[in-house]
Amino acid sequence: LPEYRYWKDDKDGDEEDDSKLVFAGGYNLWKYNALDAINTFKLYHAILKQLDIARSLPQAEEQFSTIEVFLRIMMKGVKVDIDVRSALVTSMTTYLQHAREYLFQALKTSLNPESPKQLNELFYTQLKLPVQLHPKTKQPSCDVDALEALGKIEPIVKPLARAINYIRSTTGLIANANMPLSQGNRAHTFYNPGGTETFRLSSRKNAYDEGSNLQNLTSGNREKAKTFWDWMPNLRTMIV
């Protein structure tokens, strides 16, 4: 469609909140959504023809049949038990504080586990460990896999690497648990039945910045955890 423009290419200004964006043409996301629906409808018959050629029409129809179901689920949302969520967040925050204290005692200085610059300085400049490169960027990396590899190369830094990975993952879990809710304590997330090659349902925050990626709600591993750093809470218990 020659008149179609991707909304991020048409926005005016540097607004971080997409729901408040005003585009170069003077319209906002609501108008863009309507135009996008019209453009999608224009493409509908062409898409069906291509699916038929690819012999994927039955597969596509099966996917299309789930859209209305997931729309109803998105509109209703999933109920969150606030008391359970509060208890989970409290316990994770306590464990997170213990991990931060351990990290400070081990290094005798503060360290931001979210700072690639500080981590690279620590592991590759100060400790002079073999530089681990990111498989895609080929740049020095201190991501989860890199720190696990360093722990195997030099066992003495393994507790340090595990603590850093624990702090990063737990910080993310707390953010996921504290996802924004609507009235009635419901999580309204966006479900995408066609977002993966395996047809697995994916989810993420909706257009109103509510909910979260529910796939990030861990099922817990208390019985399998061998050490403190391996423990992961069961966040799914807060969903009613």
Side-chain angles (χ1 to χ4, degrees):
L1 297 174
E3 71 275 17
Y4 177 78
R5 286 176 61 86
Y6 182 49
W7 67 270
K8 287 189 176 181
D9 295 332
D10 204 23
K11 66 180 181 179
D12 184 18
D14 297 320
E15 288 278 2
E16 293 185 1
D17 185 353
D18 290 343
S19 65
K20 298 179 181 179
L21 284 177
V22 175
F23 298 87
Y27 56 90
N28 57 23
L29 279 179
W30 290 102
K31 185 173 181 180
Y32 172 85
N33 184 68
L35 292 174
D36 190 57
I38 294 172
N39 287 326
T40 301
F41 184 72
K42 289 179 180 178
L43 293 168
Y44 177 69
H45 294 291
I47 292 174
L48 288 183
K49 185 180 293 186
Q50 292 301 314
L51 287 171
D52 190 32
I53 293 174
R55 298 182 179 179
S56 299
L57 195 55
Q59 191 178 59
E61 290 175 344
E62 179 68 23
Q63 286 292 96
F64 292 154
S65 68
T66 66
I67 292 177
E68 185 176 350
V69 175
F70 291 126
L71 177 60
R72 290 200 300 268
I73 296 174
M74 285 191 287
M75 295 297 291
K76 184 177 181 180
V78 293
K79 181 77 171 180
V80 174
D81 189 316
I82 296 299
D83 293 333
V84 173
R85 180 171 82 162
S86 178
L88 286 167
V89 170
T90 298
S91 65
M92 286 189 292
T93 301
T94 300
Y95 292 148
L96 182 61
Q97 183 60 32
H98 290 329
R100 292 188 183 279
E101 291 174 358
Y102 168 82
L103 196 60
F104 181 81
Q105 292 298 322
L107 299 174
K108 304 303 179 184
T109 186
S110 59
L111 175 75
N112 180 7
E114 303 293 341
S115 171
K117 182 178 179 180
Q118 291 186 29
L119 293 177
N120 286 340
E121 171 70 20
L122 172 65
F123 287 103
Y124 302 137
T125 303
Q126 297 180 19
L127 299 179
K128 301 185 184 304
L129 293 172
V131 177
Q132 305 298 302
L133 300 180
H134 192 277
K136 292 184 178 180
T137 65
K138 305 303 179 184
Q139 296 297 313
S141 174
C142 283
D143 61 9
V144 174
D145 293 334
L147 292 189
E148 289 181 352
L150 291 176
K152 294 178 181 178
I153 294 172
E154 181 51 76
I156 197 171
V157 303
K158 187 174 183 178
L160 187 62
R162 295 183 106 182
I164 292 171
N165 279 339
Y166 178 86
I167 291 172
R168 292 192 296 199
S169 64
T170 303
T171 300
L173 292 177
I174 292 174
N176 289 329
N178 279 326
M179 60 182 153
L181 305 177
S182 64
Q183 291 184 351
N185 299 326
R186 290 187 173 274
H188 293 271
T189 64
F190 173 79
Y191 297 105
N192 186 358
T196 65
E197 293 181 357
T198 60
F199 301 107
R200 172 182 56 81
L201 187 67
S202 62
S203 72
R204 59 178 172 80
K205 286 184 178 181
N206 64 16
Y208 305 100
D209 202 34
E210 295 175 338
S212 178
N213 183 353
L214 297 185
Q215 298 164 110
N216 290 335
L217 297 184
T218 55
S219 59
N221 65 346
R222 184 180 296 274
E223 296 180 355
K224 296 181 180 180
K226 296 180 180 179
T227 69
F228 173 83
W229 309 119
D230 296 323
W231 179 76
M232 187 177 295
N234 185 356
L235 296 184
R236 298 179 185 181
T237 56
M238 71 181 193
I239 301 297
V240 177

